[in-house]
Amino acid sequence: FLIRHAKSSWAEPDMKDFDRPLNDRGKQNAPVMGKIMVKKKERPTLFVTSPAKRAFSTAKKIAAEFDYPKDKIVKVDDLYHATVRTWLKEVNGLPDEHQTVFVFGHNDGITEFCNYLTDGDILNIPTCGIVKIEFPHKNWKMISKGTGTMVYFDYPKLHSSCMV
């Protein structure tokens, strides 16, 4: 699963990008999207995130819906504004014992990576957007361009309960 962080706050324009928190809409959308994933009976066994405040906060809020401990969320420095090449390196390095992984990051890289994996044509994964991709491989190092199939693409505006 590729998950873009929820909506962040621009209340302090001089704040470092890395440190921007979620705004009220982001704080509401993340747990709602987590509940939706629970209802879809998704079963993540690993949460991996960019360490940026907005991405980690999104991961924590969604993880809470799965009773996944926040201290087990793996922060990967290189996922902060990662390129497709970096995304691929990180995904190829995931432990094979985890077949269902939620990975949180940022645009433009997350949208580009989704399209790279699936030969898709998504223009933009919106904030708190979730893309489920399945692969025919049992190990992560086999993942490469065009090897994934997009199962679904979900985001807050598709759900009236996410609207503020």
Side-chain angles (χ1 to χ4, degrees), residues 5-9 21-33 54 57-58 61-62 127-128 156 162 164:
H5 64 78
K7 192 78 174 162
S8 59
S9 173
L22 297 179
N23 69 11
D24 289 342
R25 189 171 97 197
K27 290 175 188 173
Q28 177 188 10
N29 287 353
V32 170
M33 293 305 291
R54 62 193 180 275
S57 294
T58 303
K61 289 181 179 300
I62 291 177
T127 51
C128 218
C162 286
V164 177

Side-chain angles (χ1 to χ4, degrees), residues 1 3 34 37-48 59 62-69 97-104 132 140 152:
F1 288 82
I3 305 172
M37 294 296 101
V38 168
K39 283 182 186 172
K40 289 183 181 200
K41 301 195 184 315
E42 302 300 355
R43 299 285 182 256
T45 59
L46 181 64
F47 282 68
V48 178
I62 291 177
E65 299 302 323
F66 288 91
D67 294 322
Y68 188 92
E97 65 265 22
H98 296 286
Q99 292 296 302
T100 304
V101 180
F102 281 16
V103 187
F104 298 79
K132 180 178 183 177
W140 293 104
Y152 61 78

Side-chain angles (χ1 to χ4, degrees), residues 8 10 14-22 49-57 75-81 106:
S8 59
W10 287 88
D14 293 335
M15 181 179 285
K16 287 171 54 176
D17 179 71
F18 187 89
D19 297 327
R20 279 191 288 121
L22 297 179
T49 186
S50 155
K53 186 171 187 172
R54 62 193 180 275
F56 184 52
S57 294
K75 291 182 186 178
V76 176
D77 290 345
D78 288 347
L79 286 177
Y80 178 62
H81 289 302
H106 310 268

Side-chain angles (χ1 to χ4, degrees), residues 92-148:
N92 287 158
L94 289 170
D96 289 336
E97 65 265 22
H98 296 286
Q99 292 296 302
T100 304
V101 180
F102 281 16
V103 187
F104 298 79
H106 310 268
N107 254 350
D108 297 327
I110 198 168
T111 297
E112 292 169 358
F113 187 54
C114 174
N115 290 334
Y116 173 86
L117 293 176
T118 65
D119 292 328
D121 60 357
I122 294 176
L123 295 176
N124 175 51
I125 297 174
T127 51
C128 218
I130 300 172
V131 179
K132 180 178 183 177
I133 303 171
E134 289 184 347
F135 300 95
H137 311 294
K138 291 292 183 199
N139 53 43
W140 293 104
K141 67 180 173 232
M142 299 300 295
I143 305 303
S144 61
K145 182 172 178 38
T147 59

